[in-house]
Amino acid sequence: MTDKPSKSEWQARADKEVKGRDLTWHTPEGIAIQPLYTAEDTEALDPGLPGFAPFTRGPYASMYTGRPWTIRQYAGFSTAEESNAFYRRNLAAGQKGLSVAFDLATHRGYDSDHPRVRGDVGKAGVAIDTVRDMEILFDEIPLETMSVSMTMNGAVIPVLAFYIVAGERAGVSADKLSGTIQNDILKEFMVRNTYIYPPQPSMRIVSDIIAYTSQNMPRFNSISISGYHMHEAGATAVQELAFTIADGKEYAKRAMETGLDIDAFAPRLSFFWGIGMNFFMEIAKMRAARALWHDIMHELGAQNPKSKMLRTHCQTSGVSLQEQDPYNNVIRTTVEAMAAVLGGTQSLHTNALDEAIALPTDFSARIARNTQLVLQEETGITNVADPLGGSYYIEALTAELVDKARAMIAEVDEAGGMTAYVASGAPKAAIERAAAAKQASVDRGETVVVGVNKYVLDEEAQIDTLDIDNHAVRKSQIARLEKVRAGRDEAACRAALDALRDGAKGEANLLALAVDAARQDATLGEISSAMEDVFGRYNTLPTPVRGVFAEAYENDSRYDQVVEGVRAVERRLGHKPKLMVAKMGQDGHDRGANVIASAFADMGFDVLSGPLFQTPEETRDMALAEDVDAIGASSLAAGHKTLIPELIGLLRESDRADIKVIAGGVIPQKDYDFLRDAGVQGIYGPGSNVVECAADVLRLLGHNMPPAGEEIGEAAE
């Protein structure tokens, strides 16, 4: 029998093996990850048991040993008919719950015939204009037994009203409907931007939905507090944890201020996390979230243990998916799905391999769904509740995340709560700094992405992608809109809309009034407009962070080449090269646009960030007024084949074909020739190196920029 070696003895042996090199890893969260964890690191920690407070090890005692997590694939595209057929195929193949993706016109409260959304209808989700659309969406799907999740925040009132009335028309009363509506508007003001109204009336809408569902829909979750979109926007695990839990605290306090008892609504609150590639960090994040939420709800006075029990849906990361060597995305999604499961999720969506390029095909969607089936049926993961509980590393990392998130939540509280903190712009700026730092780390090769900055293929293989005929979908939707309007009692519909408008001026429950309007076949756009008449429509101008790229690339020769190239162009033009970063259409995902704006500004470009949701005409007008040299059109919602060619045509009509138009974002390679033929001069997909993008733009502006690795010469002038 030998004596048990100490951690210091292990350290001495490890130091000898690696010749004294420090093996500590510093994460983006500012956590120093030791190369070894032992009982010494966890002796003061007690994570408890699954199903018992503080629920660190899971909300239910049996966890997956009693029932596995729900396979809830997020999907929706084109028309209600197409999406319904897709849902039914997936349900027949083993999916257990539905998660509806709506198109951006719907998110932003516009009917499909509105001129602002002609490039958005049916492209990144299903178009829903009327109760009739919702009826078709769930045709032959039993709403009394099927759990339905709906990712909707901006137009949450009409969408939920349509769902309730569609249920009524199918013979299913509201008290029998089960599922979740996202209804998380605070994170929209931070990252995703599919808001409609200003913050204060938006928070009233959240409270009205919580009140209505508490009284009428006991099986329905009134809110899904989402960290996912913060994760996708570049937030660190600590930021995602702290801001999401703080959002939940704010919603609970607002509901209590309306007179609701916390235990009347809190058991129906749920959460939604993004799951990325730092495997153990993501597991620890979910465990930390449960501990934090338990303590927050206890502080707010909750008595019912179910009020303190954080239940969650998870989705594998979209931003970790890559256009290059895309079959690697299957592996990434599998790793992330395992992290979600080992972290204790209640339901899960697994992304398809082609989602960095286009909407999923049936082929890629089947692989994504079957990833979960294999984990459930073949791995043995479901045989033990919280199998990683007690891991020295997991428990220590969980505790560190709890401490760091608590400190950040305290900052939010000092600012007056999350509504005030969001209004200050502080969380959005913090997330944008984290996103820019991460992009710089990838570009410099410090963070490895296989197939992108290491082990890169000489030639990419083409894969089949799904393309939606936006024009055909819009035509179909407009025809149904006209039919619904022609067949309704117009006077009754107008009276219901007037009542909603009056209710918005007072204190009546907005969801109850919208349900009345939906029963009279008011459209989504009409219901949204009735509230907009009172609340107004909210707009904001992006203000990208500065200095992150300059700091990350200090003393980098290639970066310095580009900076000098920008100066050379400035000398030739008589002004700094001016780039307008444009977000056309109703897509509010602005991570990529803000990263580009930050990086190009740091490299010396004069960067103009256009407001979100511009039309091609508005983009053209702003570009002409500001006399830009180039326009970078950011596309993540598949509207590129409609909106970008339209912009180029408008520039030509204005005799400004000299303004270079480049495109970036989620654009399938099969569309590259189409865009080039339309006049796009540079296309940069996911994984593009930002510094090399800038070098390419300089070439487009006539500068003799050398390839990477070559010295800049006199000809550069």
Side-chain angles (χ1 to χ4, degrees), residues 157 196-205 208 500-506 508 510 527-538:
I157 288 283
I196 300 175
Y197 314 109
Q200 288 300 335
S202 295
M203 289 297 288
R204 173 189 168 181
I205 287 171
D208 281 2
L500 174 59
R501 192 175 292 105
D502 291 341
K505 297 174 184 175
L510 295 171
I527 292 173
S528 297
S529 291
M531 293 185 287
E532 185 180 338
D533 289 344
V534 179
F535 300 147
R537 182 171 282 266
Y538 184 76

mmCIF file of all heavy atoms in Angstrom, residues 157 196-205 208 500-506 508 510 527-538:
data_model
loop_
_atom_site.group_PDB
_atom_site.id
_atom_site.type_symbol
_atom_site.label_atom_id
_atom_site.label_comp_id
_atom_site.label_asym_id
_atom_site.label_seq_id
_atom_site.Cartn_x
_atom_site.Cartn_y
_atom_site.Cartn_z
ATOM 1 N N ILE A 157 -48.544 39.106 -28.936
ATOM 2 C CA ILE A 157 -49.983 39.217 -28.641
ATOM 3 C C ILE A 157 -50.833 38.593 -29.759
ATOM 4 O O ILE A 157 -51.647 37.701 -29.507
ATOM 5 C CB ILE A 157 -50.368 40.680 -28.370
ATOM 6 C CG1 ILE A 157 -49.830 41.131 -27.007
ATOM 7 C CG2 ILE A 157 -51.880 40.885 -28.461
ATOM 8 C CD1 ILE A 157 -50.603 40.648 -25.804
ATOM 9 N N ILE A 196 -41.089 45.400 -31.421
ATOM 10 C CA ILE A 196 -41.974 46.306 -32.150
ATOM 11 C C ILE A 196 -42.137 47.607 -31.357
ATOM 12 O O ILE A 196 -41.893 48.694 -31.868
ATOM 13 C CB ILE A 196 -43.358 45.674 -32.403
ATOM 14 C CG1 ILE A 196 -43.222 44.395 -33.236
ATOM 15 C CG2 ILE A 196 -44.280 46.673 -33.115
ATOM 16 C CD1 ILE A 196 -44.530 43.649 -33.438
ATOM 17 N N TYR A 197 -42.509 47.471 -30.092
ATOM 18 C CA TYR A 197 -42.862 48.634 -29.270
ATOM 19 C C TYR A 197 -41.713 49.008 -28.335
ATOM 20 O O TYR A 197 -40.794 48.216 -28.103
ATOM 21 C CB TYR A 197 -44.122 48.322 -28.457
ATOM 22 C CG TYR A 197 -45.199 47.666 -29.291
ATOM 23 C CD1 TYR A 197 -45.517 46.324 -29.120
ATOM 24 C CD2 TYR A 197 -45.859 48.376 -30.295
ATOM 25 C CE1 TYR A 197 -46.477 45.711 -29.911
ATOM 26 C CE2 TYR A 197 -46.813 47.783 -31.091
ATOM 27 C CZ TYR A 197 -47.121 46.432 -30.898
ATOM 28 O OH TYR A 197 -48.055 45.832 -31.694
ATOM 29 N N PRO A 198 -41.736 50.222 -27.759
ATOM 30 C CA PRO A 198 -40.698 50.626 -26.800
ATOM 31 C C PRO A 198 -40.694 49.727 -25.557
ATOM 32 O O PRO A 198 -41.648 48.967 -25.317
ATOM 33 C CB PRO A 198 -41.092 52.067 -26.452
ATOM 34 C CG PRO A 198 -41.921 52.530 -27.608
ATOM 35 C CD PRO A 198 -42.661 51.322 -28.082
ATOM 36 N N PRO A 199 -39.643 49.813 -24.754
ATOM 37 C CA PRO A 199 -39.496 48.895 -23.619
ATOM 38 C C PRO A 199 -40.663 48.885 -22.627
ATOM 39 O O PRO A 199 -41.114 47.807 -22.226
ATOM 40 C CB PRO A 199 -38.205 49.380 -22.950
ATOM 41 C CG PRO A 199 -37.396 49.938 -24.071
ATOM 42 C CD PRO A 199 -38.402 50.600 -24.977
ATOM 43 N N GLN A 200 -41.152 50.044 -22.218
ATOM 44 C CA GLN A 200 -42.176 50.041 -21.170
ATOM 45 C C GLN A 200 -43.481 49.375 -21.613
ATOM 46 O O GLN A 200 -43.999 48.492 -20.912
ATOM 47 C CB GLN A 200 -42.422 51.474 -20.665
ATOM 48 C CG GLN A 200 -41.283 52.030 -19.822
ATOM 49 C CD GLN A 200 -41.000 51.212 -18.565
ATOM 50 O OE1 GLN A 200 -41.863 50.508 -18.043
ATOM 51 N NE2 GLN A 200 -39.765 51.293 -18.075
ATOM 52 N N PRO A 201 -44.096 49.753 -22.754
ATOM 53 C CA PRO A 201 -45.298 49.019 -23.175
ATOM 54 C C PRO A 201 -45.008 47.555 -23.495
ATOM 55 O O PRO A 201 -45.883 46.689 -23.323
ATOM 56 C CB PRO A 201 -45.779 49.778 -24.411
ATOM 57 C CG PRO A 201 -44.638 50.621 -24.842
ATOM 58 C CD PRO A 201 -43.840 50.912 -23.630
ATOM 59 N N SER A 202 -43.787 47.261 -23.930
ATOM 60 C CA SER A 202 -43.427 45.865 -24.182
ATOM 61 C C SER A 202 -43.452 45.060 -22.891
ATOM 62 O O SER A 202 -43.880 43.895 -22.875
ATOM 63 C CB SER A 202 -42.038 45.780 -24.826
ATOM 64 O OG SER A 202 -42.033 46.370 -26.108
ATOM 65 N N MET A 203 -42.976 45.666 -21.805
ATOM 66 C CA MET A 203 -43.022 44.979 -20.512
ATOM 67 C C MET A 203 -44.457 44.819 -20.018
ATOM 68 O O MET A 203 -44.799 43.827 -19.361
ATOM 69 C CB MET A 203 -42.193 45.760 -19.491
ATOM 70 C CG MET A 203 -40.697 45.682 -19.739
ATOM 71 S SD MET A 203 -40.043 44.008 -19.612
ATOM 72 C CE MET A 203 -40.138 43.745 -17.844
ATOM 73 N N ARG A 204 -45.322 45.755 -20.352
ATOM 74 C CA ARG A 204 -46.737 45.588 -20.010
ATOM 75 C C ARG A 204 -47.319 44.374 -20.730
ATOM 76 O O ARG A 204 -48.088 43.601 -20.156
ATOM 77 C CB ARG A 204 -47.523 46.849 -20.390
ATOM 78 C CG ARG A 204 -49.033 46.648 -20.217
ATOM 79 C CD ARG A 204 -49.842 47.784 -20.786
ATOM 80 N NE ARG A 204 -51.256 47.441 -20.865
ATOM 81 C CZ ARG A 204 -52.191 48.260 -21.342
ATOM 82 N NH1 ARG A 204 -51.862 49.464 -21.772
ATOM 83 N NH2 ARG A 204 -53.453 47.866 -21.395
ATOM 84 N N ILE A 205 -46.957 44.201 -21.996
ATOM 85 C CA ILE A 205 -47.437 43.048 -22.763
ATOM 86 C C ILE A 205 -47.011 41.748 -22.092
ATOM 87 O O ILE A 205 -47.805 40.800 -21.968
ATOM 88 C CB ILE A 205 -46.921 43.132 -24.214
ATOM 89 C CG1 ILE A 205 -47.686 44.223 -24.972
ATOM 90 C CG2 ILE A 205 -47.041 41.793 -24.924
ATOM 91 C CD1 ILE A 205 -47.116 44.554 -26.338
ATOM 92 N N ASP A 208 -49.227 41.215 -19.094
ATOM 93 C CA ASP A 208 -50.595 40.864 -19.476
ATOM 94 C C ASP A 208 -50.693 39.401 -19.904
ATOM 95 O O ASP A 208 -51.688 38.712 -19.614
ATOM 96 C CB ASP A 208 -51.082 41.770 -20.612
ATOM 97 C CG ASP A 208 -51.522 43.143 -20.124
ATOM 98 O OD1 ASP A 208 -51.410 43.410 -18.916
ATOM 99 O OD2 ASP A 208 -51.978 43.958 -20.958
ATOM 100 N N LEU A 500 -59.343 47.123 -28.757
ATOM 101 C CA LEU A 500 -57.942 46.852 -28.438
ATOM 102 C C LEU A 500 -57.154 48.150 -28.352
ATOM 103 O O LEU A 500 -56.339 48.345 -27.434
ATOM 104 C CB LEU A 500 -57.344 45.928 -29.503
ATOM 105 C CG LEU A 500 -55.845 45.640 -29.405
ATOM 106 C CD1 LEU A 500 -55.486 44.986 -28.074
ATOM 107 C CD2 LEU A 500 -55.400 44.761 -30.570
ATOM 108 N N ARG A 501 -57.391 49.051 -29.295
ATOM 109 C CA ARG A 501 -56.689 50.339 -29.289
ATOM 110 C C ARG A 501 -57.017 51.123 -28.013
ATOM 111 O O ARG A 501 -56.127 51.686 -27.364
ATOM 112 C CB ARG A 501 -57.090 51.132 -30.538
ATOM 113 C CG ARG A 501 -56.243 52.353 -30.806
ATOM 114 C CD ARG A 501 -56.639 53.012 -32.120
ATOM 115 N NE ARG A 501 -56.297 52.186 -33.283
ATOM 116 C CZ ARG A 501 -57.197 51.499 -34.002
ATOM 117 N NH1 ARG A 501 -58.494 51.539 -33.689
ATOM 118 N NH2 ARG A 501 -56.805 50.769 -35.032
ATOM 119 N N ASP A 502 -58.288 51.134 -27.645
ATOM 120 C CA ASP A 502 -58.699 51.821 -26.417
ATOM 121 C C ASP A 502 -58.093 51.142 -25.192
ATOM 122 O O ASP A 502 -57.692 51.812 -24.231
ATOM 123 C CB ASP A 502 -60.225 51.848 -26.303
ATOM 124 C CG ASP A 502 -60.879 52.746 -27.348
ATOM 125 O OD1 ASP A 502 -60.177 53.617 -27.908
ATOM 126 O OD2 ASP A 502 -62.091 52.558 -27.617
ATOM 127 N N GLY A 503 -58.036 49.809 -25.234
ATOM 128 C CA GLY A 503 -57.461 49.063 -24.111
ATOM 129 C C GLY A 503 -55.988 49.384 -23.931
ATOM 130 O O GLY A 503 -55.473 49.424 -22.805
ATOM 131 N N ALA A 504 -55.292 49.614 -25.040
ATOM 132 C CA ALA A 504 -53.873 49.959 -24.958
ATOM 133 C C ALA A 504 -53.681 51.311 -24.271
ATOM 134 O O ALA A 504 -52.669 51.554 -23.619
ATOM 135 C CB ALA A 504 -53.247 49.976 -26.351
ATOM 136 N N LYS A 505 -54.667 52.196 -24.417
ATOM 137 C CA LYS A 505 -54.608 53.495 -23.756
ATOM 138 C C LYS A 505 -54.879 53.373 -22.265
ATOM 139 O O LYS A 505 -54.458 54.233 -21.485
ATOM 140 C CB LYS A 505 -55.620 54.447 -24.385
ATOM 141 C CG LYS A 505 -55.368 54.757 -25.845
ATOM 142 C CD LYS A 505 -56.504 55.586 -26.441
ATOM 143 C CE LYS A 505 -56.318 55.814 -27.940
ATOM 144 N NZ LYS A 505 -57.480 56.519 -28.553
ATOM 145 N N GLY A 506 -55.610 52.321 -21.874
ATOM 146 C CA GLY A 506 -55.960 52.128 -20.472
ATOM 147 C C GLY A 506 -55.185 50.994 -19.833
ATOM 148 O O GLY A 506 -53.994 50.831 -20.093
ATOM 149 N N ALA A 508 -56.657 47.621 -19.598
ATOM 150 C CA ALA A 508 -57.285 46.332 -19.897
ATOM 151 C C ALA A 508 -56.223 45.335 -20.344
ATOM 152 O O ALA A 508 -55.140 45.705 -20.814
ATOM 153 C CB ALA A 508 -58.329 46.514 -20.995
ATOM 154 N N LEU A 510 -54.378 43.157 -22.689
ATOM 155 C CA LEU A 510 -54.229 43.252 -24.140
ATOM 156 C C LEU A 510 -54.425 41.911 -24.830
ATOM 157 O O LEU A 510 -54.957 41.859 -25.941
ATOM 158 C CB LEU A 510 -52.864 43.834 -24.489
ATOM 159 C CG LEU A 510 -52.635 45.281 -24.036
ATOM 160 C CD1 LEU A 510 -51.183 45.693 -24.232
ATOM 161 C CD2 LEU A 510 -53.562 46.234 -24.802
ATOM 162 N N ILE A 527 -53.810 43.854 -35.740
ATOM 163 C CA ILE A 527 -53.732 43.813 -34.277
ATOM 164 C C ILE A 527 -52.480 44.544 -33.805
ATOM 165 O O ILE A 527 -52.519 45.336 -32.854
ATOM 166 C CB ILE A 527 -53.759 42.355 -33.782
ATOM 167 C CG1 ILE A 527 -55.143 41.738 -34.046
ATOM 168 C CG2 ILE A 527 -53.407 42.264 -32.299
ATOM 169 C CD1 ILE A 527 -55.222 40.243 -33.754
ATOM 170 N N SER A 528 -51.372 44.307 -34.482
ATOM 171 C CA SER A 528 -50.128 44.988 -34.115
ATOM 172 C C SER A 528 -50.246 46.496 -34.299
ATOM 173 O O SER A 528 -49.795 47.279 -33.453
ATOM 174 C CB SER A 528 -48.968 44.454 -34.959
ATOM 175 O OG SER A 528 -48.753 43.081 -34.712
ATOM 176 N N SER A 529 -50.871 46.913 -35.398
ATOM 177 C CA SER A 529 -51.011 48.349 -35.685
ATOM 178 C C SER A 529 -51.909 49.046 -34.681
ATOM 179 O O SER A 529 -51.675 50.217 -34.341
ATOM 180 C CB SER A 529 -51.560 48.547 -37.099
ATOM 181 O OG SER A 529 -50.610 48.159 -38.054
ATOM 182 N N ALA A 530 -52.931 48.347 -34.203
ATOM 183 C CA ALA A 530 -53.825 48.952 -33.214
ATOM 184 C C ALA A 530 -53.046 49.338 -31.957
ATOM 185 O O ALA A 530 -53.273 50.409 -31.375
ATOM 186 C CB ALA A 530 -54.958 47.984 -32.868
ATOM 187 N N MET A 531 -52.105 48.480 -31.554
ATOM 188 C CA MET A 531 -51.276 48.810 -30.387
ATOM 189 C C MET A 531 -50.187 49.817 -30.748
ATOM 190 O O MET A 531 -49.838 50.683 -29.939
ATOM 191 C CB MET A 531 -50.666 47.527 -29.809
ATOM 192 C CG MET A 531 -51.715 46.584 -29.203
ATOM 193 S SD MET A 531 -50.999 45.131 -28.394
ATOM 194 C CE MET A 531 -50.465 44.183 -29.816
ATOM 195 N N GLU A 532 -49.670 49.728 -31.970
ATOM 196 C CA GLU A 532 -48.650 50.677 -32.406
ATOM 197 C C GLU A 532 -49.198 52.105 -32.451
ATOM 198 O O GLU A 532 -48.468 53.069 -32.192
ATOM 199 C CB GLU A 532 -48.122 50.277 -33.788
ATOM 200 C CG GLU A 532 -46.972 51.123 -34.285
ATOM 201 C CD GLU A 532 -46.474 50.706 -35.664
ATOM 202 O OE1 GLU A 532 -46.708 49.558 -36.062
ATOM 203 O OE2 GLU A 532 -45.853 51.548 -36.338
ATOM 204 N N ASP A 533 -50.485 52.238 -32.759
ATOM 205 C CA ASP A 533 -51.107 53.567 -32.771
ATOM 206 C C ASP A 533 -50.972 54.254 -31.416
ATOM 207 O O ASP A 533 -50.907 55.492 -31.339
ATOM 208 C CB ASP A 533 -52.589 53.454 -33.139
ATOM 209 C CG ASP A 533 -52.806 53.089 -34.599
ATOM 210 O OD1 ASP A 533 -51.847 53.211 -35.394
ATOM 211 O OD2 ASP A 533 -53.936 52.656 -34.937
ATOM 212 N N VAL A 534 -50.934 53.453 -30.350
ATOM 213 C CA VAL A 534 -50.845 53.999 -28.996
ATOM 214 C C VAL A 534 -49.404 54.006 -28.499
ATOM 215 O O VAL A 534 -48.933 55.003 -27.934
ATOM 216 C CB VAL A 534 -51.723 53.161 -28.030
ATOM 217 C CG1 VAL A 534 -51.616 53.711 -26.595
ATOM 218 C CG2 VAL A 534 -53.169 53.155 -28.495
ATOM 219 N N PHE A 535 -48.677 52.912 -28.741
ATOM 220 C CA PHE A 535 -47.341 52.763 -28.162
ATOM 221 C C PHE A 535 -46.222 53.325 -29.042
ATOM 222 O O PHE A 535 -45.148 53.659 -28.549
ATOM 223 C CB PHE A 535 -47.043 51.273 -27.905
ATOM 224 C CG PHE A 535 -48.008 50.606 -26.972
ATOM 225 C CD1 PHE A 535 -48.342 49.258 -27.146
ATOM 226 C CD2 PHE A 535 -48.560 51.283 -25.907
ATOM 227 C CE1 PHE A 535 -49.214 48.621 -26.278
ATOM 228 C CE2 PHE A 535 -49.448 50.664 -25.031
ATOM 229 C CZ PHE A 535 -49.772 49.320 -25.219
ATOM 230 N N GLY A 536 -46.463 53.418 -30.345
ATOM 231 C CA GLY A 536 -45.406 53.778 -31.275
ATOM 232 C C GLY A 536 -44.564 52.564 -31.627
ATOM 233 O O GLY A 536 -44.682 51.503 -31.022
ATOM 234 N N ARG A 537 -43.719 52.723 -32.636
ATOM 235 C CA ARG A 537 -42.797 51.642 -33.047
ATOM 236 C C ARG A 537 -41.383 52.065 -32.673
ATOM 237 O O ARG A 537 -40.944 53.160 -32.994
ATOM 238 C CB ARG A 537 -42.916 51.351 -34.542
ATOM 239 C CG ARG A 537 -42.017 50.202 -35.020
ATOM 240 C CD ARG A 537 -42.306 49.801 -36.440
ATOM 241 N NE ARG A 537 -43.489 48.967 -36.578
ATOM 242 C CZ ARG A 537 -43.480 47.630 -36.605
ATOM 243 N NH1 ARG A 537 -42.330 46.979 -36.481
ATOM 244 N NH2 ARG A 537 -44.589 46.956 -36.743
ATOM 245 N N TYR A 538 -40.677 51.150 -32.030
ATOM 246 C CA TYR A 538 -39.350 51.442 -31.483
ATOM 247 C C TYR A 538 -38.267 51.244 -32.540
ATOM 248 O O TYR A 538 -38.290 50.272 -33.298
ATOM 249 C CB TYR A 538 -39.081 50.515 -30.296
ATOM 250 C CG TYR A 538 -37.788 50.773 -29.561
ATOM 251 C CD1 TYR A 538 -37.658 51.848 -28.696
ATOM 252 C CD2 TYR A 538 -36.704 49.918 -29.716
ATOM 253 C CE1 TYR A 538 -36.477 52.071 -28.001
ATOM 254 C CE2 TYR A 538 -35.514 50.134 -29.031
ATOM 255 C CZ TYR A 538 -35.409 51.212 -28.168
ATOM 256 O OH TYR A 538 -34.242 51.434 -27.493
#
